[in-house]
Amino acid sequence: MNRLARTASILALPLFVGGCAATAQEALYGDSLAGFGTVQAATRTATGKNAVWIQDRQTADRTTSQVRGMVQGKTVGADTAVQVALLNNRGLQAAYAELGLSATDAWQETMFVNPTASIGVLGIGAPELGAFRALEGMIVNNIFALVTRDRRIDIADTRFRKAQLDAAVATLSLAAETRRAWIEAASAWERVAYLNQAKAAADASSELAARLGETGALNKSGQAREHVFYAELAGETARARLAARTAKAELTRLMGLWGSDIEYEVPNQLPSLPKSLARVETIETDALGHRADLKAAALDLEALAKQYGLTEATKYATDIALVAGLEVEGEIEDGKRDVSVSPKVDLEVEFTIPIFDSGRARMRRAELEYMAAANRLADRAVNVRSEARSAYDTYKSSYDIARHYRNNVLPLRTTIDEEALLTYNAMITSTFELLADTRARINSVLLSVDAKRDFWLAEANLAPTIYGGRSGGGSGGGGGAAIADAGEAAGH
C-alpha cells in the first residue's frame, strides 16, 4: 500500500469505529414493537382486552377480518365494542406511531456523533509537480457530545418510558370512551323501545276515543286529551329515536367502522343492576399506584431533573470540538516526484468563550421548568385522589338511586295504574285522571332507565379512575322531563 492510500485509510478509521458502536438499548429501540409490551400489559390489566400495533399489511388484513367477524350482522355488547375499538381505531394507531418516534429518538441518542472529515489539495496544477503540491486531511469530532453521551441516553430513555405511558393512557382513554358510548347507545334504544310500547297503547286509546266520540259516549274534550297524548308520545318517540341513532353513530366512530361494517345492532336494553357492588376500599391508594397518567407526569419530572443536571454541566461550555489534521506533501528532487507523509500532526480545540452569555438564563429557565413540572405533578396527585373518591361515591350513590326506582317507584306506579284502570272502568276516575297517571308512569319508567344508565356509566368510570384514561359522567335524559312538562301543560 502506498503512502497516499495509507493516509486515506488513517483518515477513514474514526468513521469506521464510530459506525460499529452498538449497545443493548439499540436492540430495544430498534425493535419494530419497541416498548409496546408495556402498553399491552397495561391494557390487559385495566380492561381485559388486547391492543394491537398494526405495522404491516399482513397484520392489517388479519385485524380487519377479525373485526368484521365480530360486528357484521351481530348484536354488539360492551366488551365487544371495546375490543373492536382497540383493534380498529386509526387515531389509536397514530398514538402508537408516536411511541415509535420516541423510540427512534432514544435510539439516535445511543449512536456516537459522526466525525467530520475533510481533505484538501493544495497547489493543483503546479508546473514543478505536474499535479499537486500538498494534500491536507482533517477530522473534527465533538468532544462535548462524547462527554455527555451517557446522560443524553439516560434522558432519552426516560422520555421513551414516558411515551410508553402516554400510549397506554391513549389506549385506556379510548376503551373507557367506547364503553361509555355503548352504554349511552343501549340506554337510548331502551328509551325508544319503551316509548314505542307506550305509543302503541296510546294509539289504541286514541282510536277508541274517536269511536266513542262517534257514538256520543265521549265528549270532544275527552277525545282531544286522548289524541294529544298520542301526538306527544309520537313526537317524543321520534326525538328518542334520533338520539339513539346519534349515540350509535358516536359508538361507530370510536370503533373505527365504516361501509358494510356499520350494519351491526346495539341491544335495546341495558343489563340489569348487579346484586351487589364491588367494594374498593383502597381506591385512592390504588389510583396513586396505578394511574398511567400520574406515572407519565412523574417521568416527565424525572426527565426535566436530568435535563437540569445537563444544563448545569454545560452552562459554560456549549460546544467543544476536537480537530485533528494530517498533511501530505509532494516534493521534487532531481526531477523526480516524491509524495511523503509529514510527521507534523495538528491538534486544535474549538469552544465558545462565555464572555457575554454565562449560561445563567438557561440555568434559571431549567429551574423554573422543573419547579413547574413538580407542582403540576403534586396538583395531579391531589386531583387523582379527589377523582377516585368522587368516582366511587358516584358509583355507590348511582346504584342506590337505580335500585330505588326499580324496587320502590316502579312498583308503586304499577299499583296506581292498576287501581286507576279499575276505577275508570267503574266510571269513578275521569279520562283526564287516567291520562295523568299514565303520563306519570311513563315519566317514572324513563327516569328509571336514566338511573340505570347513570349507574353503568359510573361503573365504567371506575377503571379509568384507577388505571388512567379520561373519565366522564352520565348525562341526564330529557325524555322523561318532556313528558312530565306535557302532562303539566295538559293539566293546567
Side-chain angles (χ1 to χ4, degrees):
M1 180 184 296
N2 57 39
R3 293 181 179 178
L4 186 59
R6 186 183 302 112
T7 301
S9 65
I10 293 173
L11 292 175
L13 182 60
L15 300 176
F16 175 77
V17 172
C20 290
T23 65
Q25 284 109 331
E26 289 183 15
L28 168 63
Y29 303 138
D31 191 299
S32 61
L33 293 175
F36 190 64
T38 299
V39 178
Q40 290 177 313
T43 303
R44 282 193 294 267
T45 300
T47 69
K49 308 302 175 188
N50 295 321
V52 176
W53 187 358
I54 301 173
Q55 300 189 56
D56 54 66
R57 174 57 59 185
Q58 182 179 5
T59 305
D61 292 342
R62 184 172 62 251
T63 302
T64 299
S65 177
Q66 182 180 356
V67 167
R68 286 179 176 170
M70 297 169 72
V71 299
Q72 283 192 342
K74 303 289 182 63
T75 298
V76 175
D79 290 337
T80 301
V82 171
Q83 183 61 82
V84 169
L86 296 185
L87 294 175
N88 202 49
N89 187 283
R90 297 306 178 210
L92 188 60
Q93 294 300 315
Y96 295 160
E98 293 292 333
L99 172 60
L101 290 174
S102 178
T104 59
D105 291 341
W107 187 11
Q108 183 65 48
E109 292 295 347
T110 66
M111 301 179 184
F112 290 98
V113 177
N114 292 329
T116 302
S118 63
I119 299 176
V121 180
L122 304 180
I124 297 177
E128 66 276 14
L129 294 178
F132 64 89
R133 182 174 60 82
L135 176 67
E136 290 184 345
M138 184 176 296
I139 294 178
V140 181
N141 209 340
N142 194 320
I143 297 178
F144 172 68
L146 294 174
V147 172
T148 61
R149 177 176 178 270
D150 290 342
R151 184 172 289 182
R152 285 186 293 106
I153 292 175
D154 195 17
I155 294 173
D157 182 70
T158 302
R159 297 206 180 279
F160 169 64
R161 288 185 284 127
K162 179 181 180 296
Q164 290 177 299
L165 292 174
D166 288 341
V169 169
T171 306
L172 298 179
S173 295
L174 176 64
E177 194 173 355
T178 303
R179 186 173 293 276
R180 287 192 293 267
W182 183 91
I183 292 169
E184 293 283 4
S187 173
W189 285 112
E190 185 170 0
R191 294 173 67 90
V192 170
Y194 179 75
L195 285 172
N196 279 333
Q197 295 175 7
K199 187 167 72 72
D203 185 22
S205 297
S206 178
E207 184 178 351
L208 178 61
R211 292 179 180 178
L212 291 175
E214 293 174 357
T215 63
L218 187 65
N219 59 26
K220 289 185 177 181
S221 176
Q223 295 177 56
R225 289 191 180 99
E226 293 284 357
H227 296 334
V228 75
F229 180 52
Y230 171 74
E232 289 169 354
L233 276 177
E236 190 63 29
T237 303
R239 187 167 67 172
R241 189 176 292 108
L242 174 60
R245 290 199 302 268
T246 302
K248 183 184 176 183
E250 174 64 10
L251 177 62
T252 300
R253 181 188 68 82
L254 293 171
M255 293 165 65
L257 301 177
W258 61 281
S260 62
D261 292 341
I262 68 173
E263 301 300 328
Y264 67 94
E265 299 293 334
V266 176
N268 60 0
Q269 186 175 8
L270 285 170
S272 301
L273 295 176
K275 293 182 179 180
S276 61
L277 287 178
R279 299 187 61 83
V280 187
E281 302 293 348
T282 58
I283 189 169
E284 289 186 49
T285 304
D286 292 342
L288 289 176
H290 296 97
R291 281 285 286 260
D293 54 343
L294 197 61
K295 292 180 181 179
L299 284 175
D300 193 26
L301 180 64
E302 180 182 340
L304 279 175
K306 294 174 180 178
Q307 185 69 41
Y308 175 81
L310 180 61
T311 303
E312 184 177 19
T314 61
K315 64 179 180 178
Y316 293 120
T318 57
D319 188 15
I320 301 176
L322 176 64
V323 181
L326 188 64
E327 184 177 346
V328 179
E329 295 183 351
E331 298 179 354
I332 294 286
E333 185 177 350
D334 297 333
K336 295 182 179 180
R337 175 179 173 184
D338 180 35
V339 178
S340 61
V341 178
S342 172
K344 180 179 68 174
V345 176
D346 298 328
L347 294 177
E348 179 181 349
V349 176
E350 296 179 355
F351 59 91
T352 301
I353 301 176
I355 297 178
F356 305 108
D357 183 4
S358 63
R360 293 179 61 186
R362 291 194 303 275
M363 285 291 297
R364 181 56 178 163
R365 180 180 181 82
E367 291 173 357
L368 291 174
E369 287 181 349
Y370 180 82
M371 290 169 59
N375 282 291
R376 283 195 297 268
L377 177 59
D379 180 65
R380 188 68 189 132
V382 172
N383 291 341
V384 164
R385 286 179 175 272
S386 178
E387 289 173 10
R389 292 192 302 270
S390 178
Y392 190 62
D393 182 59
T394 302
Y395 173 64
K396 291 174 59 179
S397 299
S398 298
Y399 182 73
D400 292 339
I401 294 171
R403 284 187 60 194
H404 173 71
Y405 274 97
R406 184 192 65 183
N407 298 341
N408 299 313
V409 175
L410 293 184
L412 288 174
R413 280 296 174 192
T414 300
T415 301
I416 291 172
D417 284 350
E418 291 173 351
E419 292 299 320
L421 185 59
L422 290 175
T423 56
Y424 177 76
N425 291 335
M427 302 189 67
I428 300 175
T429 301
S430 68
T431 301
F432 173 73
E433 291 173 331
L434 181 64
L435 288 176
D437 289 337
T438 304
R439 283 191 179 95
R441 173 174 172 76
I442 293 173
N443 192 43
S444 295
V445 171
L446 294 180
L447 288 175
S448 176
V449 172
D450 290 344
K452 185 167 60 169
R453 177 206 58 195
D454 290 343
F455 164 74
W456 286 114
L457 287 174
E459 194 270 345
N461 286 332
L462 283 182
T465 299
I466 296 175
Y467 296 101
R470 291 184 295 272
S471 61
S475 59
I483 292 294
D485 291 343
E488 283 189 352
H492 294 305

